Amino acid sequence: MMIHRHQKFFRYLSTSIIYRSKQRLLDNSQNNHFIILSLTAVISTSAALEHLEDGAPCFSNVVGPYTGHITSCCACEKEKGPAEKPSKGDDSRPLSRTTHLLYSLKLFPYSYLPIPRLIGSNDPLFSYPELKTGIRRRQEDEVRLKQILSSERLMKARQSQDQAQMQPIFHEVNELVYGNGVTPQMREEFLAQYGCVGYTSQTLKYLVEDLAKDRGILEVGCGNGQWARALDDYHKLQQKDVKTWDFVLAYDNMRELPLSPQIYHEKTLPANKYFYKKVQKASHVDAVKGFASRGRILLLVYPSPGKMAIETVKTYVAQSDQNDTVVYVGEGIGGANADDSLFDYFLGKSDDAVQWILLKVMDVQRSPGNKGYEKMFVFQRKR
């Protein structure tokens, strides 16, 4: 009973201090260093009380928002040593109310949100700040592009066929579409090597060595197969014993390939160097229904807008209890990939949703021009 009263008191105190501190930080009328240190103490106390409410014996590994260091508020670490790395099992917790409050007040950056964690309906996972800013910029670019395409100067330049007048207009359009200093050739070279979004050495290492080492990967909607090729090549380098199984199964319906196979055919250098030769033609639903796909990690890289992504995930989950891990590479809510039904499913907002644990969020290689805001998200179904 006493703990419950203290919890209510400290929650009230925490909210009050956080609100007042933020106002003073904005006004620059107080000592910022003192305010941030006070907030750190409040965060640690509040987080500890969150765990007491859940019956946890202690709390450790509280991240200080000012210093970025790991702090601790329990004495047991002195006896037991550093806390063990959280497992990827069912012991993951959703965001605490304190953490969510601090994040919503912009006192807690996106990168400080705990991982792994159980995903709740209010989780800001798919609404990260750079995506929100990027979407606003994208909308402004679209308005500007429409103005250029309907402008009188473009009409006059077309009628006169004056290249001197057309050139600056083309340059302006190109900058809006691809980014400052990015040429169509640079964009096409990126597409040839990576596809619409690129992998990194860190993402390859994590996917091959940690996540899918003994399970293999099922990529659906793989396009020309650049990710599949890179993963397969990386796996072969790590492989000590020769096995008869394909580490990567890659499927695409071949309808919207980023690069035409008539131009980038098997005798061209990009196709030989970057494309996966074992891409199989199949619909996204049929791809996950095959017996060989069972138990593999599902990989979706830059899925097209619409229902393809959510239909793939749901079919994958329904096929087997072993199908429990999904890797999604793309933008979040309001972005260029999938639709809200996919994000609602992972957030538990849809009627047929299951609970998911966020295992990892990683940066990816974005296309030149900084016009994309993709990340790699790794989900595991809660048992």
Side-chain angles (χ1 to χ4, degrees), residues 225-284:
Q226 289 92 332
W227 276 67
R229 170 69 178 271
L231 289 165
D232 190 63
D233 288 349
Y234 190 98
H235 177 258
K236 288 177 180 177
L237 291 175
Q238 304 300 314
Q239 201 173 358
K240 295 181 179 180
D241 301 324
V242 178
K243 297 183 179 180
T244 57
W245 69 303
D246 290 320
F247 180 72
V248 180
L249 294 182
Y251 295 90
D252 197 279
N253 62 15
M254 308 294 184
R255 294 176 184 171
E256 299 178 354
L257 293 178
L259 298 173
S260 171
Q262 280 72 39
I263 298 175
Y264 289 87
H265 52 79
E266 59 182 8
K267 293 184 179 180
T268 59
L269 180 61
N272 276 280
K273 192 174 182 180
Y274 303 121
F275 295 3
Y276 193 49
K277 295 181 180 180
K278 296 182 180 180
V279 175
Q280 302 177 59
K281 185 176 181 180
S283 70
H284 57 284

Side-chain angles (χ1 to χ4, degrees), residues 81-231:
E84 295 182 1
K85 185 179 179 180
S87 67
K88 59 180 182 179
D90 294 341
D91 57 345
S92 300
R93 299 172 180 271
L95 290 180
S96 68
R97 283 166 288 191
T98 302
T99 302
H100 201 282
L101 173 63
L102 291 173
Y103 180 78
S104 64
L105 291 173
K106 299 182 180 180
L107 295 172
F108 216 50
Y110 183 86
S111 59
Y112 277 25
L113 298 177
I115 296 175
R117 68 175 182 267
L118 190 64
I119 304 174
S121 59
N122 294 322
D123 199 301
L125 170 64
F126 296 115
S127 300
Y128 40 101
E130 60 182 317
L131 175 62
K132 290 182 177 180
T133 303
I135 290 174
R136 288 196 295 270
R137 290 175 181 170
R138 191 175 290 167
Q139 292 170 344
E140 293 171 359
D141 289 346
E142 290 174 356
V143 171
R144 179 59 185 149
L145 185 60
K146 289 179 180 179
Q147 291 174 347
I148 294 174
L149 295 178
S150 61
S151 65
E152 185 177 349
R153 62 177 179 139
L154 178 60
M155 298 295 183
K156 290 181 177 180
R158 282 178 174 174
Q159 291 173 358
S160 64
Q161 295 295 310
D162 188 341
Q163 293 299 318
Q165 292 181 1
M166 294 286 286
Q167 196 62 34
I169 298 175
F170 284 151
H171 178 77
E172 191 174 353
V173 170
N174 186 79
E175 186 171 313
L176 287 172
V177 175
Y178 297 110
N180 187 24
V182 180
T183 65
Q185 181 62 32
M186 292 170 61
R187 172 63 178 167
E188 189 161 344
E189 289 174 355
F190 181 89
L191 281 173
Q193 182 174 355
Y194 297 107
C196 295
V197 61
Y199 47 82
T200 65
S201 57
Q202 291 81 10
T203 54
L204 293 178
K205 176 179 173 64
Y206 172 74
L207 290 173
V208 175
E209 296 187 25
D210 297 334
L211 189 67
K213 182 178 181 181
D214 300 317
R215 297 180 59 178
I217 291 174
L218 167 66
E219 185 180 2
V220 179
C222 67
N224 299 104
Q226 289 92 332
W227 276 67
R229 170 69 178 271
L231 289 165

